[in-house]
């Protein structure tokens, strides 16, 4: 019997591409629609809140309302998040070359960038809460918290993912032959960044 | 090739006994065939439940001013009937075929991610049980499967009814997204050597299109439902039209952006199944394969641009109405092309009217009626008259029952022998077919008339003076005829599994790869991965080329069975080699795993915990919301265990 034909240790894929990576791209496609629907909801309700607080300064019936978005702070956290994507590139580069312990170092740096971003978001949320903006206050509150919170949840998952990989790298369980794990984490992280680049102008910059 | 050795074992059944058995082996299985069977059995049971709900609806409407059930129960009945049929029975039944048949059709050993596949089944099981748990707490969802907000928000739908909807459907949605992701990768990446995209069996093609639709449309639905969940559980304002000024049409847009693709999710796989059954029993290749593929892609694509035809009655204005009328009518073109291609396949063929074929041919006729009434309400002015009447119910059921269900039954008669190694009884099958066919027309055709006469849908009862009585009585009689046929079908499914005729690898003389291996297939599917040279390997490939097709033709035929006037080869003996385990053959299969069921339990527990937040403190269920934390912990632990599980 032709044993080797019967039991290929590695079944080549039809396209030559790795199945896990392809699955991840498909997953990202699905995620785009998830975020797309949330963003569409946000845009549909933009500027339609009946009650304050409002995101930007507005004058309604001669009465001025102060906008509560803190654009400098969010610009800072956005910058950090983008830098963490750069750190991710370094991480992958070092993993591929088996540069220990730099591979772990850059993975942790990426996670750190994400954590700072998340910290800013927590600060922002508590601040807004004290300003009187809750999930319940108005359409802005509902759409804002759910959209940015959903993104924040993705960042959180990413941080846990990166720290896990970092610990594995420290223990020598990730090397050049196992780059795919890191590559996929990188795809995820870049995706989360790209989504934020869409959210940031729509929510914070455009009035 | 080693498969020519004949070892006669005259009375050994073809059902091989080399696989592990027992409950535990089913709970931990990652074999796509077993998962397919689990899907099929569970979904068929839900089909029976939803059927009983339908019968109760029909009993209530049998006479005017009936009080068989209360109006409240009636609301739950029609809602749960639809939800159970769509998410509990029909989608999972198609998933059963995706699971069992697609890897075999493309010559693969398993799906791309076997454990993920198991996870989607367990999520489906828990999600559907959860949805029906509403009955136990006397709080089954009661606002229709489309759950129009703001009617479904807390002020208008107090109690837990719609909480079961928003949470249950998220679990089910997650399950189908995960499953579809798996099928997309499996089909793109695990095809046998030589199977180019345009050589893929048409059912596999339609599975691919459907999976893409699910991965995208379900995502939109997940967000729509999440927003409703936040409204109900955490007091957000997404659908709060009163004090927050939300848009009353937001839900409808999001819902139908999912809902319309969803109806294609339910029909496109069936189009694929029919396109396998018709050629086999006409002994002709499918007419216009390329056109069939492209029209399928086109239907999937256009399906995204027509959602607002469900919203003509909301007054969107002439521009939107015209656009959606036009795009809806456009869909009729690729649909019509498919119908003509099926007829072209039949034309001039040597047709064998097995039960599978009867269902397939009936599908063409009934689905056409449903399509025509669809085009009728694609025109906004006439839709305004038909909307929310029984005319729509007639349309739905000609496409769902006349389309999806008839097609699924065709597929079951066709592939059952592959799954269980035994043939379904043809006499019972013919009875099942005729009762279903007559029953469905008696049930659903009069609905066109009562609808036109103005009987509203989702109506609890009606007065004798309205002139609906005779029609409704005919419909109820029809429903019971369908039920009788279904009962016979269930008996057939069960008894054939016990003592049906042994089928052999290819009882119908079909052309695709799944028929080249023993029935039921061994755990490893193909002893040697086949090499494909054409679209219909068993009809066209030259077996002397390369490895060719290893099984199927070399088996000894020991018994001839006559079905619908033609001889069918039924093989009693299988070669001993087919009974060899994967281990003996040196084939690596992924080991069983219990993490899928644990992870599914964890995820489900989070959702169960969320719902019991709503239970009053006096209830015994109150503390169950700690389940949420247990669920989160279980989820995290099992994700790690999953990622680091050895052998995968
Ligand atoms: C030529 C193809 C089709 C056309 C032109 C068409 C058109 C339509 C239109 C315009 C409506 C909205 C009627 C209203 O609510 O006032 C509708 C409703 C519906 N259609 Fe179709 N349809 C087609 C095929 C299908 C298929 C293949 C399915 C499912 C397998 C399907 C299932 C449904 C369902 C379930 C509804 C009612 C939804 C509800 O309100 O609950 N249709 N169809
Ligand atoms: Cu539609």
């Amino acid at each position: 019997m032709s044993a080797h034909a019967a039991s290929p240790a590695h079944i080549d894929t039809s396209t030559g591409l790795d199945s896990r990576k392809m699955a991840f791209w498909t997953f990202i496609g699905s995620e785009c629609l998830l975020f797309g629907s949330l963003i569409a909801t946000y845009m549909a309700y933009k500027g339609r809140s009946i009650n304050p607080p409002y995101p930007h300064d507005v004058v309604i019936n001669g009465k001025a309302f102060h906008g509560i978005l803190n654009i400098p702070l969010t610009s800072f956290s956005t910058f950090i998040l983008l830098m963490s994507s750069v750190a991710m590139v370094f991480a992958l580069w070092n993993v591929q070359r088996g540069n220990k312990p730099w591979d772990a170092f850059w993975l942790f740096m990426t996670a750190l960038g994400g954590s700072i971003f998340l910290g800013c978001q927590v600060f922002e949320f508590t601040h807004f809460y004290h300003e009187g903006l809750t999930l319940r206050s108005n359409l802005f509150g509902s759409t804002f918290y759910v959209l940015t919170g959903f993104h924040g949840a993705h960042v959180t998952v990413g941080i846990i993912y990166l720290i896990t990989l970092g610990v594995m790298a420290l223990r020598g369980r990730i090397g050049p032959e196992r780059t795919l794990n890191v590559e996929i984490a990188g795809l995820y992280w870049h995706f989360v960044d790209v989504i934020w680049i869409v959210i940031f102008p729509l929510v914070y910059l455009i009035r | 090739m080693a498969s020519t050795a004949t070892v006669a074992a005259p009375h050994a059944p073809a059902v091989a006994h080399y696989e592990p058995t027992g409950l535990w082996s089913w709970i931990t299985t990652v074999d796509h065939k077993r998962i397919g069977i689990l899907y099929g059995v569970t979904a068929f049971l839900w089909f029976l439940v939803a059927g009983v709900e339908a019968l109760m609806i029909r009993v209530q409407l049998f006479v005017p001013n009936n009080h068989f059930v209360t109006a409240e129960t009636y609301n739950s009945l029609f809602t749960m009937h639809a939800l159970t049929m769509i998410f509990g029975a029909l989608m999972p039944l198609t998933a059963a075929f995706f699971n069992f048949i697609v890897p075999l059709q493309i010559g693969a050993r398993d799906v791309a991610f076997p454990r993920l596949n198991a996870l989607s089944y367990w999520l489906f099981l828990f999600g559907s049980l959860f949805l029906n748990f509403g009955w136990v707490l006397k709080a089954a969802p009661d606002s229709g499967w489309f759950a129009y907000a703001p009617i479904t928000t807390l002020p208008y739908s107090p109690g837990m009814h719609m909480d079961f909807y928003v949470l249950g459907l998220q679990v089910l949605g997650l399950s189908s997204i995960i499953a579809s992701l798996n099928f997309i990768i499996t089909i793109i990446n695990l095809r046998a050597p030589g199977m180019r995209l345009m050589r893929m069996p048409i059912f596999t093609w339609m599975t691919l299109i459907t999976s893409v639709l699910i991965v995208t449309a379900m995502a939109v639905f997940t967000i729509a439902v999440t927003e409703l969940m936040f409204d109900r559980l955490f007091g957000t304002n997404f659908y709060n039209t009163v004090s927050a000024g939300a848009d009353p049409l937001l839900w409808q847009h999001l819902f139908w952006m999912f809902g319309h693709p969803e109806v294609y999710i339910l029909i496109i796989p069936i189009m694929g199944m029919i396109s396998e059954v018709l050629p086999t029993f006409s002994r002709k290749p499918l007419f216009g394969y390329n056109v069939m593929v492209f029209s399928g892609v086109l239907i999937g694509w256009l399906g995204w641009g027509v959602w607002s035809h469900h919203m003509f009655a909301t007054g969107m204005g002439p521009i939107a109405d015209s656009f959606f009328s036009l795009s809806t009518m456009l869909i009729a073109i690729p649909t019509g092309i498919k119908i003509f291609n099926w007829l072209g396949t039949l034309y001039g063929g040597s047709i064998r009217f097995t039960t599978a074929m009867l269902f397939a041919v009936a599908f063409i006729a009934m689905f056409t009626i449903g399509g025509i009434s669809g085009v009728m309400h694609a025109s906004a002015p006439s839709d305004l008259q038909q909307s929310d009447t029984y005319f729509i119910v007639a349309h739905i059921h000609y496409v769902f029952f006349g389309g999806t269900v008839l097609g699924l039954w065709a597929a079951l008669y066709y592939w059952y022998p592959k799954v269980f190694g035994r043939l379904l009884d043809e006499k019972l099958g013919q009875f099942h077919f005729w009762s279903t066919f007559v029953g469905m027309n008696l049930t659903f055709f009069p609905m066109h008339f009562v609808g036109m006469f103005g009987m509203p849908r989702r109506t609890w009862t009606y007065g004798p003076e309205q002139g609906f009585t005779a029609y409704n009585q005919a419909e109820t009689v029809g429903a019971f005829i369908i039920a009788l046929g279904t009962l016979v079908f269930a008996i057939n499914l069960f008894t054939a599994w016990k003592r049906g005729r042994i089928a052999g690898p290819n009882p119908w003389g079909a052309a695709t790869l799944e028929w080249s291996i023993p029935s039921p297939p061994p755990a490893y599917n193909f002893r040697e991965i086949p090499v494909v040279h054409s679209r219909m390997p068993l009809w066209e490939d030259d077996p002397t080329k390369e490895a060719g097709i290893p099984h199927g033709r070399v088996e000894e035929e020991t018994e001839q069975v006559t079905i619908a006037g033609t001889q069918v080869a039924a093989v009693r003996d299988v070669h001993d080699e087919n009974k060899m385990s994967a281990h003996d053959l040196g084939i690596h299969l992924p080991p069983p795993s219990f993490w899928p069921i644990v992870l599914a339990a964890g995820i489900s527990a989070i959702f169960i915990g969320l719902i019991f937040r709503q239970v009053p403190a006096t209830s015994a269920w109150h503390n169950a919301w700690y389940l949420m934390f247990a669920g989160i912990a279980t989820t995290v632990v099992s994700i790690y265990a999953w990622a680091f599980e050895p052998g995968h």
Side-chain angles (χ1 to χ4, degrees):
Chain A
M1 175 183 324
S2 46
H4 80 274
S7 57
H10 56 95
I11 300 174
D12 292 333
T13 60
S14 321
T15 56
L17 299 172
D18 184 89
S19 289
R20 280 172 62 196
K21 209 152 132 190
M22 195 183 276
F24 205 80
W25 278 106
T26 316
F27 167 70
I28 286 182
S30 187
E31 288 270 284
C32 282
L33 278 130
L34 285 170
F35 277 106
S37 309
L38 280 173
I39 292 173
T41 307
Y42 185 87
M43 294 309 284
Y45 284 159
K46 202 172 166 67
R48 287 182 48 165
S49 291
I50 299 175
N51 315 306
Y54 299 107
H56 304 283
D57 296 342
V58 276
V59 178
I60 294 175
N61 296 332
K63 194 162 176 267
F65 291 95
H66 209 60
I68 66 170
L69 290 178
N70 185 343
I71 294 171
L73 174 74
T74 318
S75 307
F76 165 74
S77 70
T78 303
F79 177 74
I80 296 290
L81 191 64
L82 291 185
M83 286 305 108
S84 79
S85 250
V86 178
M88 188 69 229
V89 174
F90 287 142
L92 183 59
W93 193 86
N94 281 294
V95 169
Q96 278 165 344
R97 280 158 192 75
N99 289 345
K100 289 178 197 337
W102 291 108
D103 49 1
F105 173 78
W106 285 109
L107 282 167
F108 288 128
M109 284 306 283
T110 314
L112 180 69
S115 308
I116 294 174
F117 174 85
L118 207 62
C120 290
Q121 196 172 42
V122 172
F123 174 80
E124 185 189 35
F125 278 19
T126 35
H127 172 71
F128 286 180
Y129 179 77
H130 290 299
E131 295 264 333
L133 185 75
T134 65
L135 274 171
R136 298 161 182 258
S137 12
N138 55 15
L139 289 177
F140 169 60
S142 301
T143 52
F144 172 82
Y145 282 123
V146 172
L147 171 59
T148 56
F150 191 66
H151 180 267
H154 276 73
V155 175
T156 313
V157 169
I159 292 170
I160 299 173
Y161 194 172
L162 288 164
I163 291 178
T164 310
L165 288 175
V167 172
M168 283 171 72
L170 274 187
R171 292 203 187 154
R173 291 183 58 187
I174 285 198
E177 70 295 340
R178 291 250 211 105
T179 44
L180 193 68
N181 291 319
V182 182
E183 228 179 303
I184 290 178
L187 278 178
Y188 178 81
W189 195 254
H190 297 317
F191 169 72
V192 169
D193 271 16
V194 169
I195 285 291
W196 184 253
I197 295 178
V198 178
I199 294 176
F200 178 59
L202 288 182
V203 174
Y204 291 85
L205 303 184
I206 300 175
R207 296 200 148 220
Chain B
M1 237 160 61
S3 52
T4 40
T6 312
V7 182
H11 299 294
V15 185
H17 291 293
Y18 46 79
E19 286 176 41
T21 50
L23 190 61
W24 185 247
S25 75
W26 283 88
I27 287 177
T28 59
T29 187
V30 292
D31 178 352
H32 72 95
K33 298 178 289 298
R34 287 187 160 205
I35 293 170
I37 293 174
L38 286 173
Y39 257 113
V41 172
T42 316
F44 191 77
L45 292 177
W46 284 132
F47 180 79
L48 298 182
V49 171
V52 170
E53 283 159 357
L55 289 180
M56 291 174 74
I57 294 175
R58 287 312 327 164
V59 170
Q60 165 64 24
L61 294 178
F62 188 62
V63 286
N65 294 330
N66 199 356
H67 284 266
F68 172 65
V69 293
T70 62
E72 289 73 28
T73 311
Y74 187 85
N75 286 347
S76 281
L77 275 177
F78 76 71
T79 304
M80 287 303 290
H81 163 69
L83 289 175
T84 312
M85 274 294 181
I86 294 174
F87 296 100
L90 303 191
M91 276 177 89
L93 271 170
T94 59
F97 287 99
F98 297 170
N99 267 293
F100 202 101
I101 303 299
V102 166
L104 301 183
Q105 282 201 328
I106 61 174
R109 289 251 151 83
D110 206 327
V111 293
F113 306 102
R115 286 181 301 168
L116 222 47
N117 205 19
L119 174 67
S120 51
Y121 169 72
W122 296 112
L123 280 174
F124 154 59
L125 179 66
F126 295 154
S128 54
L129 285 172
F130 178 69
L131 196 60
N132 280 273
F133 197 66
W135 283 120
V136 181
L137 295 190
K138 296 198 173 59
D142 56 359
S143 303
W145 79 288
F146 31 76
Y148 282 167
I151 291 177
T152 44
T153 56
L154 217 40
Y156 307 103
S157 284
M160 291 194 292
H161 299 260
M162 295 315 286
D163 293 334
F164 279 108
Y165 179 98
V166 294
L167 296 168
L169 286 189
Q170 288 198 64
V171 179
L172 292 172
L174 188 64
S175 154
S176 33
I177 290 180
I178 293 175
S180 307
L181 209 108
N182 214 337
F183 288 115
I184 293 174
I185 310 306
T186 304
I187 295 171
I188 293 185
N189 241 358
L190 297 190
R191 281 165 288 141
M195 183 174 283
R196 293 191 228 113
L197 280 181
M198 290 313 276
R199 276 184 190 160
M200 272 179 356
I202 196 88
F203 175 60
T204 299
W205 250 113
M206 296 303 126
T207 304
L208 180 61
I209 297 169
T210 308
S211 303
V212 172
L213 277 178
I214 292 180
V215 164
T216 48
M218 271 292 173
V220 178
F221 186 51
T222 302
I223 292 302
V225 175
T226 306
E227 290 174 351
L228 185 55
M229 176 187 92
F230 268 78
D231 273 9
R232 294 187 58 89
L233 299 184
F234 311 122
T236 50
N237 300 302
F238 290 104
Y239 306 115
N240 176 355
T241 49
V242 178
S243 56
D247 188 335
L249 290 189
L250 178 68
W251 169 269
Q252 290 204 28
H253 279 296
L254 289 178
F255 181 83
W256 288 115
M257 223 182 275
F258 147 79
H260 189 82
E262 170 69 16
V263 306
Y264 287 102
I265 288 168
L266 284 165
I267 202 70
I268 292 177
I270 312 300
M271 294 173 161
M273 295 168 181
I274 296 307
S275 307
E276 301 284 351
V277 172
L278 293 175
T280 299
F281 295 112
S282 311
R283 282 215 77 78
K284 270 180 71 198
L286 182 68
F287 183 77
Y289 172 92
N290 294 312
V291 179
M292 280 302 217
V293 170
F294 288 123
S295 60
V297 174
L298 201 64
I299 292 176
W301 182 249
L302 286 176
W304 271 99
V306 301
W307 76 89
S308 283
H309 65 211
H310 296 271
M311 299 165 62
F312 288 142
T314 61
M316 296 174 297
I319 310 234
D321 279 3
S322 320
F323 173 82
F324 286 105
S325 276
L326 212 72
S327 58
T328 305
M329 290 179 192
L330 275 183
I331 285 213
I333 297 172
T335 313
I337 289 176
K338 278 200 181 291
I339 292 172
F340 282 112
N341 276 322
W342 288 321
L343 297 179
T345 307
L346 290 172
Y347 185 78
S350 47
I351 296 177
R352 287 177 286 164
F353 277 111
T354 59
T355 310
M357 185 64 161
L358 285 174
F359 273 112
V361 173
F363 163 92
I364 304 179
M366 297 299 104
F367 180 68
T368 305
I369 298 181
I372 289 172
S373 58
V375 179
M376 284 169 77
H377 36 249
S379 152
S382 66
D383 181 69
L384 286 180
Q385 194 206 357
Q386 295 151 11
S387 205
D388 283 332
T389 69
Y390 258 82
F391 192 89
I392 299 295
V393 184
H395 162 72
I396 299 175
H397 286 93
Y398 269 90
V399 282
F400 275 6
F401 200 100
T404 309
V405 174
L406 292 190
L408 278 169
W409 294 169
L412 256 168
Y413 281 90
Y414 182 60
W415 275 305
Y416 186 95
K418 179 50 62 188
V419 177
F420 296 106
R422 292 165 183 273
L423 293 161
L424 284 167
D425 185 84
E426 280 288 314
K427 280 216 182 63
L428 294 181
Q430 303 267 332
F431 179 84
H432 173 215
F433 169 74
W434 286 108
S435 53
T436 304
F437 184 74
V438 171
M440 79 153 278
N441 281 295
L442 188 56
T443 311
F444 303 123
F445 207 79
M447 290 186 182
H448 290 109
F449 297 112
V450 268
M452 282 300 191
F453 299 155
M455 177 161 160
R457 60 196 282 212
R458 313 160 203 144
T459 195
W460 169 56
T461 192
Y462 52 90
E465 71 292 349
Q466 288 177 284
F468 303 148
T469 314
Y471 295 95
N472 276 291
Q473 295 188 331
E475 291 162 13
T476 304
V477 171
F480 277 91
I481 297 177
I482 298 176
L484 177 68
T486 309
L487 192 70
V488 171
F489 183 39
I491 293 170
N492 196 358
L493 288 172
F494 187 74
T495 51
W497 172 60
K498 285 275 189 211
R499 50 189 149 82
R501 278 180 188 280
I502 302 293
N506 191 1
W508 318 119
T512 40
L513 277 184
E514 75 270 29
W515 302 105
S516 68
I517 54 175
S519 315
Y524 45 83
N525 294 353
F526 297 86
R527 203 167 47 206
E528 291 163 39
I529 297 296
V531 179
V532 177
H533 303 285
S534 74
R535 223 168 256 164
M536 289 173 296
L538 300 193
W539 284 1
E540 291 176 1
D541 273 17
D542 179 355
T544 55
K545 261 194 222 162
E546 297 171 51
I549 307 302
H551 299 284
R553 308 172 148 191
V554 286
E555 314 260 350
E556 210 178 350
E557 293 176 5
T558 58
E559 193 188 10
Q560 296 289 320
V561 183
T562 308
I563 289 177
T566 20
Q567 294 254 297
V568 163
V571 180
R572 192 183 286 279
D573 299 339
V574 287
H575 300 296
D576 254 8
E577 256 182 275
N578 291 336
K579 292 179 190 163
M580 290 171 80
S581 71
H583 181 79
D584 296 338
L585 294 165
I587 296 172
H588 172 76
L589 290 178
S593 169
F594 52 81
W595 290 113
I597 191 172
V598 178
L599 180 52
I603 296 174
S604 309
I606 299 176
F607 285 85
I608 299 174
L610 274 172
I611 204 163
F612 287 113
R613 271 174 47 102
Q614 306 293 98
V615 181
T618 47
S619 154
W621 290 99
H622 182 65
N623 285 334
W625 71 278
Y626 285 112
L627 260 177
M628 193 166 81
F629 295 108
I632 293 174
T634 313
T635 305
V636 172
V637 168
S638 36
I639 286 176
Y640 273 95
W642 176 300
F644 294 105
E645 190 172 23
H648 283 278

